[in-house]
Amino acid sequence: MINSYSCKAVGSNTGQSDCPLIIEKIAGAILVWKDFVLSAADLESDTTLQAALIAAASADLKKDRAFPVGNFVDIADNTSDPEQQTFGYGPVVNTSDGIIGWAFPFLKGGLCLLKALQSFNRSDIRVLFYDTAGTLFGWKVGDTLKGIPLIQFVAPPWKAATGSTVMDTRVSFSFLPRYVNEEIGFYKTSDFSLDSIEGLQNANIKLAGVQAKPVYKVKVATGCSGIDLYDQYSAELADEAMWVAKNKATGGAITITSVAVDAAIAGFTITMATTGGYPAVGSIELNLAAVSVLTAAGITGLEGIPLTIVNVA
Amino acid sequence: MGSFKIGFNKAYAKQIGKDKFIKEFKDVYPDHDLSAEYDKIVPPKEEKPKSGK
């Protein structure tokens, strides 16, 4: 209808209950991709939410994965003041709400975690936050919870320790205030700690000992910290189903015929079939199986980082 | 017989048969009883008792 418009209803009742929502100190964040969503079913109970977050944090594909970052030890609130315009007759009005800027120093994880977070710089990552009282909050979209769209995510270069301070590692987020005000969505946990949702660690594979194709000797250690996984998982990893190999040039699968514990190197002997995709001369990509396969076998919290093996004539 | 754990690819072992299995792995795992390992993967068929007719 011409010259007609509808006004959005404004105002809400301001009566108070005895149990107000107070966001406590922000203890951690969960980095998620644009398509990540916690559905109404996921938010039904602590059990369903915990299962959804664990599944997201250990998803096989990075594009489906959530990346928890806990143990924040402080906040630097760099939120900007609202922009204002002053009219000639005197009135001053707000023209924008400013931009929220939160930076969180962390100690646990140190440089290893910082390097991992820096890989998200300039990406389209989003974020859910949680506080010390177990409240998870983000952007409410319908009856779902999504990550807050960020103007900028930055894990800045670390700063050196001084006589009075330790090394400074931190992560910072900037975003529009509406996502944690008018459009905030939250879930209050009571039966589990959000800190218990942990991110995956890299498991690096490296050659060790004497190689005699198609028999390879390898060791496995956690990524940045380099903790040897032999003692913890030698029995589980001595299983061909825990490994995958492919021809790096063609992508053709290579059959792993056996995996054995090699105590002499605190590692594993891996044999491959010389049929199928196996290159007598060329590169092989050897990796651990998918996260879900490892997890089902009791190898938790790890994702293999592929090793390239070059077969020469 | 070696005591360390070996995870054989069972489908591959069945595919290549016992003789080739032993031949393929004897140099890699010389201290293991590969015949017994194969029998664990593919249990030998029990001979049916003759009917006595």
Side-chain angles (χ1 to χ4, degrees):
Chain A
M1 185 184 297
I2 193 166
N3 285 4
S4 174
Y5 64 97
S6 57
C7 290
K8 188 174 140 186
V10 294
S12 288
N13 295 328
T14 55
Q16 301 297 306
S17 78
D18 292 334
C19 182
L21 173 68
I22 304 288
I23 302 293
E24 302 286 349
K25 293 190 289 288
I26 296 172
I30 301 175
L31 307 182
V32 297
W33 297 113
K34 182 180 176 182
D35 295 333
F36 177 83
V37 59
L38 288 169
S39 67
D42 295 331
L43 298 165
E44 185 69 28
S45 69
D46 277 24
T47 304
T48 55
L49 175 61
Q50 185 179 24
L53 291 176
I54 290 173
S58 57
D60 282 346
L61 300 176
K62 275 200 172 72
K63 72 178 184 62
D64 299 326
R65 195 173 298 159
F67 305 89
V69 190
N71 301 292
F72 293 160
V73 293
D74 198 358
I75 181 170
D77 192 341
N78 303 312
T79 299
S80 61
D81 292 331
E83 295 290 326
Q84 292 186 320
Q85 180 182 1
T86 303
F87 288 90
Y89 290 175
V92 178
V93 297
N94 285 2
T95 57
S96 79
D97 292 334
I99 303 294
I100 289 180
W102 290 342
F104 301 98
F106 57 88
L107 298 172
K108 190 176 177 187
L111 193 54
C112 293
L113 176 58
L114 181 68
K115 281 174 60 184
L117 291 173
Q118 286 171 338
S119 70
F120 293 100
N121 286 353
R122 290 174 291 280
S123 74
D124 192 22
I125 200 72
R126 297 184 175 194
V127 66
L128 299 166
F129 294 106
Y130 60 90
D131 71 5
T132 51
T135 303
L136 178 73
F137 65 97
W139 182 29
K140 182 177 182 297
V141 179
D143 57 358
T144 70
L145 188 61
K146 298 192 72 171
I148 296 167
L150 298 174
I151 295 169
Q152 190 175 47
F153 169 90
V154 182
W158 58 277
K159 291 181 182 172
T162 68
S164 57
T165 63
V166 298
M167 180 176 80
D168 182 289
T169 48
R170 61 180 56 211
V171 59
S172 68
F173 307 85
S174 64
F175 52 93
L176 296 174
R178 66 183 172 95
Y179 294 116
V180 290
N181 287 276
E182 303 96 309
E183 299 174 25
I184 190 171
F186 64 90
Y187 182 95
K188 181 93 170 168
T189 63
S190 55
D191 294 342
F192 76 101
S193 167
L194 289 159
D195 273 331
S196 69
I197 309 298
E198 293 191 11
L200 297 177
Q201 286 191 76
N202 289 345
N204 289 337
I205 307 163
K206 64 177 182 181
L207 290 170
V210 179
Q211 312 300 323
K213 63 179 182 180
V215 182
Y216 305 94
K217 304 275 190 181
V218 300
K219 288 175 67 68
V220 189
T222 57
C224 191
S225 51
I227 296 170
D228 197 321
L229 294 169
Y230 177 83
D231 288 339
Q232 191 173 0
Y233 291 124
S234 63
E236 290 84 352
L237 288 172
D239 182 338
E240 53 83 25
M242 298 300 112
W243 300 78
V244 291
K246 67 180 181 182
N247 183 313
K248 196 167 182 180
T250 67
I254 297 172
T255 301
I256 293 175
T257 57
S258 74
V259 178
V261 166
D262 185 337
I265 60 165
F268 303 91
T269 302
I270 295 179
T271 63
M272 299 180 190
T274 53
T275 53
Y278 185 85
V281 176
S283 295
I284 296 166
E285 192 173 278
L286 175 68
N287 201 355
L288 296 180
V291 175
S292 57
V293 175
L294 299 177
T295 303
I299 305 166
T300 55
L302 295 167
E303 180 184 37
I305 302 300
L307 165 72
T308 297
I309 301 169
V310 181
N311 277 348
V312 294
Chain B
M1 184 175 175
S3 60
F4 57 86
K5 184 186 174 189
I6 306 175
F8 287 106
N9 183 328
K10 294 180 175 61
Y12 180 75
K14 287 176 186 170
Q15 180 193 327
I16 62 176
K18 187 170 185 176
D19 290 344
K20 195 172 176 189
F21 176 86
I22 293 170
K23 186 180 174 186
E24 181 158 331
F25 290 111
K26 67 181 171 57
D27 291 336
V28 185
Y29 308 120
D31 297 331
H32 271 259
D33 182 348
L34 293 169
S35 176
E37 291 282 1
Y38 189 86
D39 288 346
K40 280 194 277 184
I41 297 167
V42 185
K45 290 175 184 170
E46 290 182 15
E47 286 187 18
K48 290 181 181 173
K50 289 178 182 174
S51 62
K53 280 184 182 176

